[in-house]
Amino acid sequence: MDSSTDAVARELLDVIPVIMRTIRSEMRSHRSNELTVPLFRSLMFLEQQPGVSLQELAGHLGLTSPSVCKIVDGLVAHSMVKRQHSNTDRRKITLALTPEGQNVLDEARTNTQARLADRLASLSAEQCEIVFQAMKIIQPLFRPAGDKIPAGEIKI
Amino acid sequence: MDSSTDAVARELLDVIPVIMRTIRSEMRSHRSNELTVPLFRSLMFLEQQPGVSLQELAGHLGLTSPSVCKIVDGLVAHSMVKRQHSNTDRRKITLALTPEGQNVLDEARTNTQARLADRLASLSAEQCEIVFQAMKIIQPLFRPAGDKIPAGEIKI
DNA sequence: TATTGTTATACTCTATAACTATA
DNA sequence: TATAGTTATAGAGTATAACAATA
């Protein structure tokens, strides 16, 4: 069993960086949406969890507060995100997508997903299913600390 | 079938960046080997393909020549890689691991793999197998252009 | 003239440290 | 005093453009 997890670890180390580079470059190559991976992930998280604080977003992204503060600055400057002071604790901020942010997210997701799907086109239904299941299996193991499971997914 | 590849694409977009961040941070957190992901991948490639040129390495990494030139500078400065002029075409260079580079690679691979394997420890044998197969399925779809399949793997 | 590698320069992403405002 | 967020500054990592040497 140990040798098996080692083999999987070796494969992950081999394959993940290559996929990541593709995702990055495909996200960049689409001219209309100048989203980087962290910006894209921020918008996705705010769609799932509207009203979160900066620290909650930082926890999800696995980045420090200053880094996320700058990311949010950019998103606010481009009118994709609304930043407000919390009513209950005025030190905190609450973050949410604007309608424009939702549009940008929808477009970016559609485009990037379509390009990834193109690469997967040669897979059989069985192979697709294996990859799909693998992602579902791996995801919880790498979830950043402090990242809550969205309420809609608790179902177990 | 289309909805299936779309679903897989969505999962990849969700999960890959998170795994990538973990790989990065685990690689950095181990103090003795200060290898970044691209440095690590360079060493791995030179182990498989000793004697390659800078452009071949750049093709494998999916980076531009100037970027790879700087990476190689660093590896040479740290005595991990030997850089020589080619005899047949003196514009070209040939790159190869030094014994020290091999040691650094071995240690980094062992450590990083072990940490990843720790995260996978809770998986059942079946789950391991699914993830393993998924990586094998995905890998060829995302191989960078100009990246040759290592001679030892042609076997088919 | 085209190709291989290098140097010069700049931009993005991220981090640590220091600061402000609120609790 | 502790916490949430911000600002200031610095260090990777990458790219494009310009250059040198060789073919």
Side-chain angles (χ1 to χ4, degrees):
Chain A
M1 214 68 48
D2 264 357
S3 75
S4 187
T5 59
D6 272 0
V8 173
R10 177 164 195 144
E11 288 302 314
L12 291 177
L13 215 46
D14 234 40
V15 178
I16 299 298
V18 181
I19 305 177
M20 190 61 197
R21 177 162 310 283
T22 303
I23 291 177
R24 248 185 245 287
S25 73
E26 301 216 329
M27 208 164 265
R28 286 249 175 66
S29 67
H30 187 62
R31 278 283 147 257
S32 79
N33 54 283
E34 289 292 317
L35 289 181
T36 62
V37 172
L39 294 184
F40 181 73
R41 293 192 65 223
S42 300
L43 295 180
M44 295 229 291
F45 187 63
L46 295 182
E47 180 185 43
Q48 289 177 328
Q49 312 265 341
V52 293
S53 69
L54 189 137
Q55 296 228 332
E56 286 168 318
L57 177 57
H60 172 74
L61 298 173
L63 301 176
T64 60
S65 331
S67 301
V68 178
C69 186
K70 272 182 75 172
I71 287 174
V72 170
D73 282 347
L75 292 173
V76 169
H78 287 77
S79 310
M80 296 181 201
V81 164
K82 188 174 54 178
R83 172 170 44 189
Q84 289 180 308
H85 278 285
S86 162
N87 292 324
T88 60
D89 182 342
R90 289 183 43 75
R91 290 173 302 182
K92 288 193 181 180
I93 60 174
T94 63
L95 298 167
L97 289 187
T98 61
E100 183 168 346
Q102 185 71 56
N103 287 342
V104 171
L105 173 59
D106 289 341
E107 197 196 334
R109 181 158 45 201
T110 303
N111 281 314
T112 308
Q113 258 177 238
R115 301 210 184 187
L116 288 180
D118 283 348
R119 296 213 175 222
L120 304 172
S122 64
L123 298 184
S124 69
E126 290 77 16
Q127 289 176 317
C128 263
E129 184 58 24
I130 289 173
V131 176
F132 185 80
Q133 285 186 22
M135 290 302 113
K136 290 294 191 189
I137 289 169
I138 288 185
Q139 183 169 38
L141 304 180
F142 290 88
R143 197 185 295 277
D147 194 5
K148 291 172 294 192
I149 297 169
E153 286 184 18
I154 291 187
K155 291 177 190 168
I156 296 191
Chain B
M1 213 70 47
D2 263 357
S3 76
S4 189
T5 59
D6 272 359
V8 173
R10 177 164 194 143
E11 288 302 315
L12 291 177
L13 216 44
D14 235 39
V15 178
I16 299 298
V18 181
I19 304 177
M20 189 62 196
R21 175 161 313 282
T22 303
I23 291 177
R24 248 185 244 285
S25 73
E26 301 215 329
M27 207 164 264
R28 287 250 175 66
S29 68
H30 186 62
R31 278 283 147 257
S32 78
N33 55 285
E34 288 291 317
L35 288 182
T36 62
V37 171
L39 295 185
F40 181 73
R41 293 191 66 223
S42 300
L43 295 180
M44 294 231 291
F45 187 63
L46 295 182
E47 181 186 43
Q48 290 178 329
Q49 311 263 343
V52 292
S53 69
L54 188 137
Q55 296 227 332
E56 286 168 319
L57 178 56
H60 172 73
L61 298 174
L63 301 177
T64 60
S65 329
S67 302
V68 177
C69 186
K70 272 181 72 173
I71 287 174
V72 170
D73 282 346
L75 292 172
V76 169
H78 287 78
S79 311
M80 296 181 200
V81 164
K82 188 174 54 176
R83 172 171 44 188
Q84 289 181 306
H85 278 286
S86 163
N87 292 325
T88 60
D89 182 343
R90 290 183 44 74
R91 290 173 303 181
K92 288 193 181 181
I93 59 175
T94 63
L95 298 168
L97 288 187
T98 63
E100 183 169 346
Q102 184 71 57
N103 287 341
V104 171
L105 173 59
D106 289 341
E107 197 197 333
R109 181 159 44 203
T110 303
N111 280 314
T112 308
Q113 258 176 237
R115 303 213 184 186
L116 288 180
D118 283 348
R119 295 212 176 222
L120 304 171
S122 64
L123 298 184
S124 69
E126 290 78 15
Q127 289 176 317
C128 263
E129 184 59 24
I130 290 172
V131 176
F132 185 81
Q133 284 186 23
M135 291 301 112
K136 290 293 190 190
I137 291 169
I138 288 185
Q139 184 169 38
L141 304 181
F142 289 89
R143 196 185 295 278
D147 194 5
K148 291 172 296 193
I149 296 169
E153 285 185 17
I154 291 187
K155 288 177 187 171
I156 295 190

